Amino acid sequence: MNVSEMFGSMVFNDHVMREMLPKKVYQSLQDTMVEGKALDEDAADIVAAAMKEWAVSKGATHFTHWFQPMTGITAEKHDSFLTVDKTGCVIMDFSGKELTRGEPDASSFPSGGLRATFEARGYTAWDPTSYAFIKDDTLCIPTAFCSYTGQILDKKTPLLRSMDAISREAVRALSLFGKKVKRVNATIGAEQEYFLIDKKDFSRRLDLRLTGRTLIGAPAAKGQEMEDHYFGSIRGRVKAFMADLDEELWKLGITAKTEHNEVAPCQHEMAPIFDNANKATDANQLTMEMMKKVADRHGFACLLHEKPFEGINGSGKHNNWALSTDEGENLLDPGKTPKDNAQFMLFLTAVIRAVDDYQDLLRISVASAGNDHRLGANEAPPAIGSIFVGDELDAVIESIIEGTPFKGRSSSSRLDIGTSVLPKLARDNSDRNRTSPFAFTGNKFEFRMPGSSFNIACTNVMLNTAVADALKAFCDELEGASDFNASLNALIKRELKAHRRILFNGNGYSREWEEEAEKRGLSNYKRTPDALVHYCDEKNVALFKRHNVYTKEEMESRLEISLDEYQKAIHIEAVTMSEMLRRQILPSALRFTSSLASSVQVKGRIGVAANADKNLCAEASALCDELFVKIDELDECVAKGPQQTEKAAFYAADKIIPAMENARRICDRLECIVDKSYWPVPTYSEILFYV
């Protein structure tokens, strides 16, 4: 296997474009990709012809506009290259119009009220900043998706807008330091956690098939307490899956770099190399899809739910975020000179202000029924927003705020930005804090709250726009300053002092931090509906309007979609649980009690004591009776649910989830006493410790 030849072999990338496009068309396309200039119709036709020729040479017969609707997954409508010429002959053709615009039916995608069912027309528009690729003999063209009236119906469009916003304001900020760059990109490295379980076990669990997680299940005798799975030797079957996955991803130009066993049994992680936010988001969507496909080939089922198994760690997706210029400069690298220090501190201060001012939006960006099981559960960050900067950088910030000498490892002088050199901050200048939701790790920030199944576009829309807003405010103030250094010093000191409350280096799991966070006025939305209702707060609507990312109507539609998605997820879980309990668990447990009762009768007839049989039968029968009541209560609870979306979401959180938990407790107690041969579904010990 020649990796260098394989890598990107199924991607219409820059190398292919250089070879296949006329120089003038190639340059025109580069201007479109880098500067957002429109591509004229003639050039689009030439690009389309080259793209078709390349795709057909790779075995493609169809093309699709590959887009990301509000479902959170990707969507495709396939058309063949086949057409008929004037003589009736079949030819393979692909026009610039077909490349740049498609027209899928928009009525069946979530729109949050933006579109009525009868208003079906929607458009997909080519995104030339993300390369086309071939998947399953189909040329996939990354596109944005909007309604007939131009309202956005996807996750890519707001991400692209937020990238433009942060680039615009970051370029302004860099110009204050005499730097001229064309573009600044938010770059992302998305670490993807997942579970692999045997496909046979998956197929026998209705809850896993319909909801992605186990709704019932007693703990196995062994879980993760021995800490022997994390970074442990990768079993051969899993290693074969990982090797196959790497090849599939490399062909698609996805830089799969790191793979290892995670903390929980059957849990693993894959991490790519950084790319700009748009490409990284596309790549992560493809990665999740490929994980499921490759797993199936190897007899596995890949679980991307945030909490597939109760009692062991769930799965997240760490969103590593940085800012880089088109010339490759990392703006979150502290640097070695006073000028670099000042620039770094301005950008660092902007991030701190952004996370503090819009901590609610960052929480909203990771809100889901699945992720609620994970956040704050001693396996992931709490729902409280905070920033970890490490002890040395924290001391730098404290020195600036207080105007006192810095007492760090490499300096004892006062730190006046732009006139004194900051201590050199190594990438690992402090210990890692795995309990922090937003941690500075030397030259980037690691946002650890997103769930494993998430489309990371939403998180990065929030983050990009909030940081862009802080930079805009800073530039508006500094561009007119008569004494730049003095104004910069004053601004950084003022802003760090104003937003000091968001910085926390301690244990995010502790009760003391929860109490301290409340005193500081930090938000702590533990449940998805509690967070979502703040999405359209006035300050948030104003933020996105200022930067042309969302209109108020588009935000209201997303709020409606998110609340509806939450309550539907809980509803599906409740109905699935009820079906499993009524049609599988209860009948099996009753057969077990009947067997015990028969045993008691037989032993009684021959004068043999049957105390164990009697006691076990009585205990199991009592639990069956109790479970029967809890199932009825669950069904009644589901039936009484309100129809209005927001009320339905809160009702699901307040009523349905507790009813499910009550039923599960009884079921899991039954599992521990019912004969294994009677139990109708694979148990945790079977699923998590497959042979």
Side-chain angles (χ1 to χ4, degrees):
M1 177 181 65
N2 189 322
V3 176
S4 61
E5 290 182 6
M6 177 192 301
F7 189 82
S9 60
M10 291 297 175
V11 183
F12 192 74
N13 54 25
D14 188 73
H15 174 73
V16 176
M17 288 188 279
R18 280 179 182 273
E19 284 191 347
M20 299 192 68
L21 295 177
K23 187 174 181 180
K24 185 177 180 181
V25 174
Y26 170 79
Q27 189 56 54
S28 178
L29 182 56
Q30 290 301 303
D31 291 341
T32 298
M33 295 173 67
V34 177
E35 301 177 27
K37 294 181 179 179
L39 189 69
D40 66 60
E41 189 173 323
D42 290 340
D45 281 333
I46 295 171
V47 173
M51 198 179 285
K52 183 264 298 179
E53 180 184 344
W54 169 81
V56 170
S57 74
K58 296 286 185 178
T61 56
H62 289 68
F63 69 92
T64 181
H65 278 196
W66 185 80
F67 59 103
Q68 300 172 35
M70 294 302 296
T71 56
I73 58 176
T74 55
E76 307 170 6
K77 185 188 80 168
H78 295 202
D79 289 292
S80 71
F81 291 120
L82 184 148
T83 190
V84 180
D85 67 13
K86 293 179 181 179
T87 65
C89 294
V90 171
I91 61 173
M92 302 291 271
D93 193 25
F94 185 51
S95 68
K97 183 179 179 181
E98 289 173 309
L99 167 64
T100 56
R101 194 177 85 167
E103 191 178 328
D105 187 333
S107 64
S108 296
F109 290 109
S111 71
L114 285 179
R115 306 289 288 155
T117 301
F118 65 86
E119 297 172 311
R121 194 181 298 276
Y123 294 115
T124 48
W126 177 37
D127 169 22
T129 64
S130 189
Y131 296 134
F133 57 91
I134 294 173
K135 176 172 67 75
D136 299 331
D137 296 329
T138 299
L139 173 66
C140 299
I141 303 159
T143 55
F145 180 45
C146 65
S147 72
Y148 176 69
T149 55
Q151 292 166 310
I152 53 177
L153 299 174
D154 69 340
K155 293 180 178 286
K156 176 181 279 283
T157 306
L159 177 62
L160 293 172
R161 291 176 179 177
S162 75
M163 291 173 66
D164 287 343
I166 199 167
S167 177
R168 181 172 60 249
E169 303 306 333
V171 167
R172 286 179 68 195
L174 290 173
S175 70
L176 297 171
F177 298 92
K179 295 182 177 180
K180 295 182 179 180
V181 299
K182 290 183 177 180
R183 187 166 182 87
V184 171
N185 278 313
T187 57
I188 308 299
E191 302 171 23
Q192 179 70 54
E193 294 177 345
Y194 60 98
F195 280 82
L196 287 180
I197 66 170
D198 196 286
K199 188 162 58 174
K200 293 178 182 177
D201 292 331
F202 176 82
S203 66
R204 291 179 57 203
R205 296 274 316 211
L206 183 67
D207 49 4
L208 283 175
R209 298 203 315 269
L210 297 188
T211 75
R213 75 179 184 102
T214 54
L215 302 174
I216 56 175
K222 177 187 176 184
Q224 62 191 52
E225 63 273 13
M226 297 301 292
E227 301 174 335
D228 54 348
H229 192 257
Y230 189 56
F231 278 26
S233 177
I234 302 172
R235 65 172 75 185
R237 186 177 166 193
V238 173
K239 184 62 179 173
F241 157 82
M242 289 179 170
D244 198 359
L245 176 65
D246 282 344
E247 288 191 20
E248 294 292 346
L249 296 179
W250 290 341
K251 290 175 187 175
L252 293 170
I254 298 171
T255 54
K257 175 73 173 177
T258 304
E259 55 199 27
H260 61 83
N261 288 345
E262 256 298 335
V263 173
C266 295
Q267 189 184 34
H268 313 281
E269 180 179 297
M270 188 283 284
I273 297 173
F274 275 60
D275 207 337
N276 77 57
N278 184 32
K279 290 181 181 178
T281 298
D282 285 357
N284 186 250
Q285 291 296 110
L286 273 172
T287 296
M288 291 190 288
E289 179 185 338
M290 286 300 164
M291 281 179 168
K292 289 181 175 290
K293 286 185 177 181
V294 174
D296 186 68
R297 294 206 295 258
H298 289 262
F300 287 121
C302 177
L303 306 181
L304 294 172
H305 193 283
E306 285 70 35
K307 193 72 169 178
F309 306 99
E310 189 172 271
I312 65 172
N313 279 19
S315 297
K317 176 150 40 195
H318 301 169
N319 189 86
N320 293 283
W321 181 90
L323 290 173
S324 295
T325 69
D326 50 7
E327 297 175 354
E329 180 187 3
N330 184 345
L331 302 181
L332 293 179
D333 188 331
K336 300 178 182 179
T337 67
K339 189 175 182 180
D340 290 337
N341 295 163
Q343 177 183 295
F344 165 73
M345 286 305 301
L346 183 67
F347 279 92
L348 176 68
T349 303
V351 175
I352 291 171
R353 169 171 163 163
V355 174
D356 188 20
D357 283 350
Y358 297 102
Q359 53 190 280
D360 55 343
L361 286 179
L362 290 179
R363 173 65 180 93
I364 287 165
S365 79
V366 300
S368 76
N371 216 22
D372 281 359
H373 294 286
R374 173 179 161 267
L375 294 178
N378 289 340
E379 64 186 68
I384 304 166
S386 68
I387 300 177
F388 169 84
V389 293
D391 293 337
E392 188 161 4
L393 189 51
D394 191 61
V396 168
I397 291 170
E398 194 66 27
S399 171
I400 292 171
I401 292 173
E402 300 298 330
T404 56
F406 169 66
K407 298 178 181 179
R409 292 186 305 196
S410 52
S411 176
S412 60
S413 61
R414 288 179 59 178
L415 299 174
D416 295 322
I417 305 304
T419 59
S420 296
V421 181
L422 280 176
K424 185 177 180 181
L425 298 170
R427 290 189 179 186
D428 57 352
N429 71 321
S430 65
D431 197 2
R432 283 192 172 192
N433 188 331
R434 310 305 290 175
T435 73
S436 175
F438 201 82
F440 182 68
T441 55
N443 63 352
K444 59 182 173 62
F445 280 95
E446 182 181 32
F447 185 39
R448 301 184 65 246
M449 293 177 77
S452 53
S453 66
F454 277 54
N455 182 318
I456 58 173
C458 184
T459 285
N460 290 296
V461 167
M462 306 296 197
L463 187 53
N464 291 345
T465 311
V467 175
D469 197 61
L471 289 172
K472 180 181 187 304
F474 294 174
C475 291
D476 288 346
E477 179 175 337
L478 294 173
E479 283 173 346
S482 56
D483 186 333
F484 174 69
N485 280 341
S487 297
L488 179 63
N489 275 309
L491 181 148
I492 290 176
K493 179 175 181 177
R494 181 193 74 222
E495 293 294 326
L496 290 176
K497 185 175 182 179
H499 300 285
R500 183 74 173 86
R501 66 174 186 166
I502 201 70
L503 302 180
F504 176 67
N505 288 345
N507 180 11
Y509 294 154
S510 69
R511 174 62 186 169
E512 291 77 13
W513 166 233
E514 192 169 332
E515 294 170 353
E516 171 63 22
E518 186 176 1
K519 291 177 183 177
R520 294 188 187 187
L522 302 180
S523 61
N524 184 13
Y525 304 125
K526 295 184 178 181
R527 306 180 309 173
T528 287
D530 298 328
L532 288 177
V533 293
H534 293 281
Y535 185 36
C536 291
D537 285 355
E538 187 177 341
K539 72 177 182 67
N540 297 336
V541 172
L543 168 74
F544 290 118
K545 183 178 180 181
R546 267 196 304 277
H547 296 279
N548 192 35
V549 174
Y550 290 125
T551 65
K552 183 179 180 181
E553 292 73 24
E554 289 166 343
M555 291 182 68
E556 289 171 341
S557 74
R558 277 152 178 75
L559 171 59
E560 180 80 8
I561 290 168
S562 298
L563 287 167
D564 188 52
E565 184 180 74
Y566 174 83
Q567 68 90 12
K568 283 179 178 176
I570 302 301
H571 179 85
I572 291 170
E573 288 185 352
V575 175
T576 301
M577 172 181 266
S578 176
E579 181 177 346
M580 290 181 71
L581 296 178
R582 281 196 188 279
R583 301 182 62 187
Q584 291 183 292
I585 304 303
L586 195 55
S588 299
L590 289 172
R591 283 195 296 271
F592 173 64
T593 59
S594 295
S595 174
L596 288 173
S598 297
S599 176
V600 171
Q601 287 180 334
V602 170
K603 289 181 178 180
R605 283 197 294 267
I606 62 174
V608 175
N611 293 332
D613 308 60
K614 289 178 182 178
N615 292 337
L616 191 55
C617 184
E619 183 181 0
S621 294
L623 288 172
C624 285
D625 290 343
E626 194 173 353
L627 181 58
F628 185 78
V629 171
K630 296 302 180 186
I631 299 170
D632 277 349
E633 291 176 354
L634 175 59
D635 289 346
E636 184 179 359
C637 185
V638 171
K640 288 182 176 179
Q643 297 300 309
Q644 196 271 335
T645 305
E646 183 176 322
K647 289 181 179 179
F650 276 100
Y651 182 85
D654 295 335
K655 301 294 184 182
I656 298 179
I657 289 177
M660 292 173 63
E661 291 171 346
N662 290 337
R664 176 170 188 157
R665 277 194 292 270
I666 307 303
C667 178
D668 291 355
R669 285 169 59 190
L670 261 177
E671 182 184 326
C672 295
I673 63 173
V674 171
D675 186 323
K676 185 177 181 296
S677 64
Y678 285 86
W679 201 251
V681 296
T683 62
Y684 276 21
S685 59
E686 293 169 314
I687 297 172
L688 295 172
F689 298 94
Y690 60 84
V691 177

